[in-house]
Amino acid sequence: MTNDVIIVGAGIVGAACARALAMAGFDVTVIDRGTTAGGTSSACEGNLLVSDKGPGRELELAQYAATLWTQAAVDLRTELGPDFPSVEYDPKGGLVVATTDAGAAPLLAFAAGQRSAGVDARVLDRAEALSLEPDLAPDFRAAVFYPEDSQVQPTIATEALMASARRHGARLIENTPVTGVLRDSAGALVGVTTAAGELRAARVLIAAGPWSGEVAASFGLVLPVLPRRGELLVTSRMRHRIFHKVYDADYVGAVGSNDSALQTSSVIESTAGGTVLIGSSRQQIGFDCRLQVDALAGIAAKALRLFPFLAGAAVMRTYGGFRPFMPDHLPVIGEDPRLPGLWHAAGHEGAGIGLSLATAEMIRDLMQGRPTRLDAAPFSPARDSLAPHLEQAA
């Protein structure tokens, strides 16, 4: 059997691409060495953020993606029915707080730049911020509210997108590693080799998150996607006392940093289940999945600066995952000029949940040869900002 598209990776980006392509009439097979949402998509916070992105191409993609999630949550509920778990889409908004004088001016300047790019970034005074979050420590120095920030339950959202893709004809092969690329006698791509045999397709899309570089390497190509470790804490259930996604201004700097050393910031929110989710950290330590106690301690300490009442909360569990880091801080979306027929949708770092739907639309339109909603060139594997990293890694 020959597919139109084989997608390597059953995380949220792969699931979203499978759904968009299947709905457009492509014959799609998704293959993963594990299970749906078995990697990064089940080890993150489910952020749908515009608040952490400065003016530029990624922000434009996030702004467009935010409009897609509003409708997708409704469509998935209608399509999958009431027996399928809710994706818990919550347009709760985000509150960014500077806890020091040194952090206040950069936060306000960042918000001003975002407003110039069309982001709704509202500077609040102390009383306004406390009206949104009454338990917030009152000694903060600046606060900005972002009503466009939202949230989903990432594992369920991934499962829902995959279920929808399968309803539209996509096939799913789990627990089957892809081992290499399949070429014809002229060297052209015609599919992949797997632990279970060959799969043929006119196009192969690598959407394997932080493992996308490893998949590309098995094809004989360099793709500088690196794993960036993040840790999170989850409290036991409590009365609902945090009403938005609340984070300190350090988070924005950590997102945009190339530093491989440990960075921690405070990102706090309540979940539909009554727990409080507390992140986050960033650290480049390869695929080391051991518990990072120093990271968790740093996260907890910063969380208490925002919400002192959490000192009395019990931590129910901790978990961590790997974010797909790109050295130029843009996801790679499009066809690889080094091997026609090979496509990429990877490198979203901590924004993959939010950007998945917009990425899928871009991939669909490019594969159909149609104009894309946003300019696809800045995300191309052939972009100038990526070339030096390909050369360094080669």
Side-chain angles (χ1 to χ4, degrees):
M1 178 179 63
T2 299
N3 304 273
D4 291 327
V5 186
I6 292 170
I7 299 175
V8 184
I12 196 162
V13 173
C17 289
R19 178 175 184 259
L21 290 169
M23 290 177 70
F26 285 83
D27 190 86
V28 178
T29 294
V30 182
I31 184 168
D32 196 286
R33 68 179 183 180
T35 58
T36 301
T40 298
S41 297
S42 60
C44 61
E45 298 166 271
N47 292 334
L48 313 178
L49 302 183
V50 297
S51 57
D52 62 341
K53 299 169 183 66
R57 299 303 186 179
E58 188 184 26
L59 175 59
E60 293 170 8
L61 194 65
Q63 289 171 303
Y64 178 52
T67 68
L68 297 178
W69 270 109
T70 303
Q71 187 60 49
V74 175
D75 292 345
L76 289 169
R77 186 67 171 172
T78 300
E79 178 184 354
L80 301 178
D83 292 335
F84 199 97
S86 169
V87 302
E88 299 177 12
Y89 174 72
D90 185 357
K92 63 175 66 175
L95 182 65
V96 186
V97 179
T99 59
T100 65
D101 290 329
L107 170 60
L108 296 177
F110 185 78
Q114 291 176 301
R115 284 193 294 276
S116 71
V119 175
D120 189 353
R122 307 175 187 179
V123 178
L124 305 183
D125 62 26
R126 193 173 309 279
E128 290 170 328
L130 291 174
S131 70
L132 294 179
E133 294 292 345
D135 283 312
L136 183 67
D139 58 346
F140 58 87
R141 297 297 183 262
V144 181
F145 179 58
Y146 292 87
E148 296 166 305
D149 281 357
S150 302
Q151 179 80 15
V152 291
Q153 208 294 335
T155 304
I156 298 173
T158 304
E159 294 278 6
L161 290 169
M162 188 65 77
S164 175
R166 296 179 74 180
R167 285 174 62 92
H168 288 91
R171 291 172 295 277
L172 174 64
I173 303 173
E174 296 182 317
N175 301 308
T176 305
V178 169
T179 56
V181 67
L182 186 64
R183 299 173 185 258
D184 64 14
S185 58
L189 180 150
V190 293
V192 298
T193 59
T194 80
E198 298 179 351
L199 283 177
R200 292 183 173 266
R203 302 176 182 89
V204 174
L205 172 65
I206 299 177
W211 295 273
S212 294
E214 291 186 354
V215 177
S218 75
F219 290 9
L221 298 174
V222 170
L223 188 70
V225 180
L226 298 173
R228 206 175 191 191
R229 179 76 178 176
E231 306 287 339
L232 297 105
L233 299 162
V234 185
T235 73
S236 57
R237 295 179 64 184
M238 64 177 70
R239 176 173 59 87
H240 195 182
R241 297 178 65 176
I242 301 172
F243 303 98
H244 306 82
K245 182 181 292 290
V246 183
Y247 61 88
D248 67 51
D250 289 343
Y251 181 80
V252 175
V255 168
S257 172
N258 282 339
D259 195 341
S260 62
L262 174 63
Q263 301 173 75
T264 60
S265 55
S266 183
V267 186
I268 308 168
E269 64 194 303
S270 296
T271 70
T275 63
V276 175
L277 187 63
I278 305 172
S280 67
S281 65
R282 280 173 165 77
Q283 188 176 18
Q284 290 187 22
I285 52 174
F287 284 106
D288 185 348
C289 59
R290 291 175 294 181
L291 185 69
Q292 304 295 318
V293 177
D294 54 342
L296 294 169
I299 292 166
K302 289 190 172 182
L304 295 180
R305 294 177 63 180
L306 290 181
F307 291 104
F309 81 86
L310 289 172
V315 173
M316 179 174 66
R317 67 184 180 99
T318 68
Y319 65 95
F322 301 103
R323 285 74 173 121
F325 172 82
M326 287 291 285
D328 65 351
H329 298 289
L330 281 176
V332 56
I333 306 169
E335 188 172 16
D336 195 322
R338 299 169 296 178
L339 181 58
L342 178 64
W343 294 67
H344 301 287
H348 299 78
E349 200 175 331
I353 304 297
L355 299 182
S356 58
L357 298 182
T359 297
E361 286 208 354
M362 187 172 288
I363 287 290
R364 178 202 63 202
D365 291 343
L366 288 170
M367 287 191 178
Q368 289 182 315
R370 295 169 46 188
T372 54
R373 173 65 172 75
L374 300 176
D375 183 8
F379 306 100
S380 167
R383 64 185 184 253
D384 291 341
S385 61
L386 195 56
H389 304 288
L390 295 177
E391 294 168 2
Q392 291 172 11

